[in-house]
PDB file of all heavy atoms in Angstrom:
ATOM      1  N   ALA A 109     128.181   6.357   6.661  1.00 68.00           N
ATOM      2  CA  ALA A 109     129.419   5.942   7.397  1.00 68.00           C
ATOM      3  C   ALA A 109     129.998   7.158   8.069  1.00 68.00           C
ATOM      4  O   ALA A 109     129.788   8.308   7.665  1.00 68.00           O
ATOM      5  CB  ALA A 109     130.417   5.373   6.437  1.00 68.00           C
ATOM      6  N   MET A 110     130.729   6.821   9.147  1.00 77.00           N
ATOM      7  CA  MET A 110     131.471   7.994   9.749  1.00 77.00           C
ATOM      8  C   MET A 110     132.443   8.566   8.853  1.00 77.00           C
ATOM      9  O   MET A 110     133.095   7.896   8.051  1.00 77.00           O
ATOM     10  CB  MET A 110     132.088   7.531  11.108  1.00 77.00           C
ATOM     11  CG  MET A 110     131.187   7.090  12.244  1.00 77.00           C
ATOM     12  SD  MET A 110     132.138   6.338  13.603  1.00 77.00           S
ATOM     13  CE  MET A 110     132.649   4.858  12.928  1.00 77.00           C
ATOM     14  N   SER A 111     132.786   9.877   9.043  1.00 81.00           N
ATOM     15  CA  SER A 111     133.805  10.510   8.263  1.00 81.00           C
ATOM     16  C   SER A 111     135.191  10.203   8.823  1.00 81.00           C
ATOM     17  O   SER A 111     135.195   9.789  10.056  1.00 81.00           O
ATOM     18  CB  SER A 111     133.654  12.000   8.115  1.00 81.00           C
ATOM     19  OG  SER A 111     133.803  12.581   9.477  1.00 81.00           O
ATOM     20  N   HIS A 112     136.216  10.378   8.005  1.00 84.00           N
ATOM     21  CA  HIS A 112     137.590  10.128   8.557  1.00 84.00           C
ATOM     22  C   HIS A 112     137.901  11.109   9.615  1.00 84.00           C
ATOM     23  O   HIS A 112     138.593  10.869  10.593  1.00 84.00           O
ATOM     24  CB  HIS A 112     138.626  10.188   7.441  1.00 84.00           C
ATOM     25  CG  HIS A 112     140.005   9.882   7.957  1.00 84.00           C
ATOM     26  ND1 HIS A 112     140.941  10.857   8.088  1.00 84.00           N
ATOM     27  CD2 HIS A 112     140.645   8.722   8.223  1.00 84.00           C
ATOM     28  CE1 HIS A 112     142.090  10.278   8.542  1.00 84.00           C
ATOM     29  NE2 HIS A 112     141.860   9.040   8.611  1.00 84.00           N
ATOM     30  N   ASP A 113     137.433  12.357   9.459  1.00 86.00           N
ATOM     31  CA  ASP A 113     137.607  13.396  10.554  1.00 86.00           C
ATOM     32  C   ASP A 113     137.022  13.013  11.862  1.00 86.00           C
ATOM     33  O   ASP A 113     137.634  13.202  12.916  1.00 86.00           O
ATOM     34  CB  ASP A 113     136.970  14.732  10.049  1.00 86.00           C
ATOM     35  CG  ASP A 113     137.983  15.402   9.024  1.00 86.00           C
ATOM     36  OD1 ASP A 113     138.954  14.919   8.673  1.00 86.00           O
ATOM     37  OD2 ASP A 113     137.640  16.584   8.686  1.00 86.00           O
ATOM     38  N   PHE A 114     135.887  12.390  11.792  1.00 86.00           N
ATOM     39  CA  PHE A 114     135.191  11.999  13.033  1.00 86.00           C
ATOM     40  C   PHE A 114     136.009  10.955  13.729  1.00 86.00           C
ATOM     41  O   PHE A 114     136.157  10.948  15.022  1.00 86.00           O
ATOM     42  CB  PHE A 114     133.819  11.429  12.736  1.00 86.00           C
ATOM     43  CG  PHE A 114     132.920  11.207  14.000  1.00 86.00           C
ATOM     44  CD1 PHE A 114     132.058  12.251  14.471  1.00 86.00           C
ATOM     45  CD2 PHE A 114     133.033  10.013  14.612  1.00 86.00           C
ATOM     46  CE1 PHE A 114     131.275  11.974  15.574  1.00 86.00           C
ATOM     47  CE2 PHE A 114     132.224   9.831  15.880  1.00 86.00           C
ATOM     48  CZ  PHE A 114     131.408  10.796  16.268  1.00 86.00           C
ATOM     49  N   VAL A 115     136.527   9.936  12.939  1.00 88.00           N
ATOM     50  CA  VAL A 115     137.380   8.863  13.531  1.00 88.00           C
ATOM     51  C   VAL A 115     138.621   9.483  14.200  1.00 88.00           C
ATOM     52  O   VAL A 115     138.994   9.037  15.243  1.00 88.00           O
ATOM     53  CB  VAL A 115     137.618   7.826  12.438  1.00 88.00           C
ATOM     54  CG1 VAL A 115     138.608   6.875  13.039  1.00 88.00           C
ATOM     55  CG2 VAL A 115     136.359   7.128  12.078  1.00 88.00           C
ATOM     56  N   THR A 116     139.297  10.422  13.468  1.00 91.00           N
ATOM     57  CA  THR A 116     140.530  11.060  13.941  1.00 91.00           C
ATOM     58  C   THR A 116     140.186  11.882  15.266  1.00 91.00           C
ATOM     59  O   THR A 116     141.015  11.912  16.130  1.00 91.00           O
ATOM     60  CB  THR A 116     141.135  11.812  12.849  1.00 91.00           C
ATOM     61  OG1 THR A 116     141.448  11.009  11.668  1.00 91.00           O
ATOM     62  CG2 THR A 116     142.423  12.494  13.324  1.00 91.00           C
ATOM     63  N   GLU A 117     139.027  12.587  15.200  1.00 91.00           N
ATOM     64  CA  GLU A 117     138.737  13.378  16.301  1.00 91.00           C
ATOM     65  C   GLU A 117     138.591  12.580  17.571  1.00 91.00           C
ATOM     66  O   GLU A 117     138.820  13.074  18.645  1.00 91.00           O
ATOM     67  CB  GLU A 117     137.366  14.068  16.017  1.00 91.00           C
ATOM     68  CG  GLU A 117     136.925  15.039  17.101  1.00 91.00           C
ATOM     69  CD  GLU A 117     135.603  15.723  16.784  1.00 91.00           C
ATOM     70  OE1 GLU A 117     134.768  14.962  16.068  1.00 91.00           O
ATOM     71  OE2 GLU A 117     135.289  16.860  17.170  1.00 91.00           O
ATOM     72  N   ASN A 118     138.210  11.298  17.439  1.00 92.00           N
ATOM     73  CA  ASN A 118     138.023  10.457  18.607  1.00 92.00           C
ATOM     74  C   ASN A 118     139.388  10.218  19.320  1.00 92.00           C
ATOM     75  O   ASN A 118     139.346   9.778  20.541  1.00 92.00           O
ATOM     76  CB  ASN A 118     137.366   9.101  18.174  1.00 92.00           C
ATOM     77  CG  ASN A 118     136.797   8.389  19.437  1.00 92.00           C
ATOM     78  OD1 ASN A 118     136.022   9.004  20.140  1.00 92.00           O
ATOM     79  ND2 ASN A 118     137.150   7.081  19.511  1.00 92.00           N
ATOM     80  N   ILE A 119     140.519  10.386  18.688  1.00 94.00           N
ATOM     81  CA  ILE A 119     141.771  10.296  19.405  1.00 94.00           C
ATOM     82  C   ILE A 119     141.889  11.300  20.468  1.00 94.00           C
ATOM     83  O   ILE A 119     142.345  11.065  21.533  1.00 94.00           O
ATOM     84  CB  ILE A 119     142.943  10.596  18.331  1.00 94.00           C
ATOM     85  CG1 ILE A 119     142.919   9.472  17.221  1.00 94.00           C
ATOM     86  CG2 ILE A 119     144.274  10.566  19.081  1.00 94.00           C
ATOM     87  CD1 ILE A 119     143.940   9.791  16.147  1.00 94.00           C
ATOM     88  N   TYR A 120     141.320  12.669  20.115  1.00 95.00           N
ATOM     89  CA  TYR A 120     141.368  13.612  21.176  1.00 95.00           C
ATOM     90  C   TYR A 120     140.534  13.265  22.380  1.00 95.00           C
ATOM     91  O   TYR A 120     140.965  13.320  23.533  1.00 95.00           O
ATOM     92  CB  TYR A 120     140.844  14.906  20.599  1.00 95.00           C
ATOM     93  CG  TYR A 120     140.625  15.987  21.538  1.00 95.00           C
ATOM     94  CD1 TYR A 120     141.632  16.743  22.117  1.00 95.00           C
ATOM     95  CD2 TYR A 120     139.302  16.368  21.969  1.00 95.00           C
ATOM     96  CE1 TYR A 120     141.482  17.668  23.044  1.00 95.00           C
ATOM     97  CE2 TYR A 120     139.066  17.319  22.933  1.00 95.00           C
ATOM     98  CZ  TYR A 120     140.229  18.051  23.520  1.00 95.00           C
ATOM     99  OH  TYR A 120     139.948  18.890  24.391  1.00 95.00           O
ATOM    100  N   PHE A 121     139.295  12.793  22.175  1.00 94.00           N
ATOM    101  CA  PHE A 121     138.480  12.407  23.319  1.00 94.00           C
ATOM    102  C   PHE A 121     138.979  11.252  24.085  1.00 94.00           C
ATOM    103  O   PHE A 121     138.813  11.189  25.284  1.00 94.00           O
ATOM    104  CB  PHE A 121     136.977  12.156  22.798  1.00 94.00           C
ATOM    105  CG  PHE A 121     136.377  13.509  22.298  1.00 94.00           C
ATOM    106  CD1 PHE A 121     136.148  13.714  20.939  1.00 94.00           C
ATOM    107  CD2 PHE A 121     136.020  14.525  23.104  1.00 94.00           C
ATOM    108  CE1 PHE A 121     135.563  14.859  20.412  1.00 94.00           C
ATOM    109  CE2 PHE A 121     135.558  15.758  22.764  1.00 94.00           C
ATOM    110  CZ  PHE A 121     135.240  15.918  21.359  1.00 94.00           C
ATOM    111  N   SER A 122     139.536  10.232  23.417  1.00 95.00           N
ATOM    112  CA  SER A 122     140.142   9.029  24.070  1.00 95.00           C
ATOM    113  C   SER A 122     141.304   9.585  24.817  1.00 95.00           C
ATOM    114  O   SER A 122     141.651   9.071  25.964  1.00 95.00           O
ATOM    115  CB  SER A 122     140.599   8.058  22.978  1.00 95.00           C
ATOM    116  OG  SER A 122     139.542   7.572  22.271  1.00 95.00           O
ATOM    117  N   GLY A 123     142.080  10.653  24.319  1.00 95.00           N
ATOM    118  CA  GLY A 123     143.183  11.158  25.038  1.00 95.00           C
ATOM    119  C   GLY A 123     142.780  11.813  26.333  1.00 95.00           C
ATOM    120  O   GLY A 123     143.458  11.899  27.273  1.00 95.00           O
ATOM    121  N   LEU A 124     141.697  12.555  26.224  1.00 95.00           N
ATOM    122  CA  LEU A 124     141.103  13.294  27.430  1.00 95.00           C
ATOM    123  C   LEU A 124     140.851  12.246  28.548  1.00 95.00           C
ATOM    124  O   LEU A 124     141.241  12.486  29.727  1.00 95.00           O
ATOM    125  CB  LEU A 124     139.784  14.035  27.114  1.00 95.00           C
ATOM    126  CG  LEU A 124     139.887  15.320  26.353  1.00 95.00           C
ATOM    127  CD1 LEU A 124     138.536  15.973  26.175  1.00 95.00           C
ATOM    128  CD2 LEU A 124     140.811  16.305  27.055  1.00 95.00           C
TER     129      LEU A 124
END
Side-chain angles (χ1 to χ4, degrees):
M110 292 177 288
S111 68
H112 183 257
D113 278 6
F114 189 94
V115 172
T116 303
E117 184 182 31
N118 198 49
I119 300 174
Y120 171 75
F121 291 109
S122 300
L124 283 183

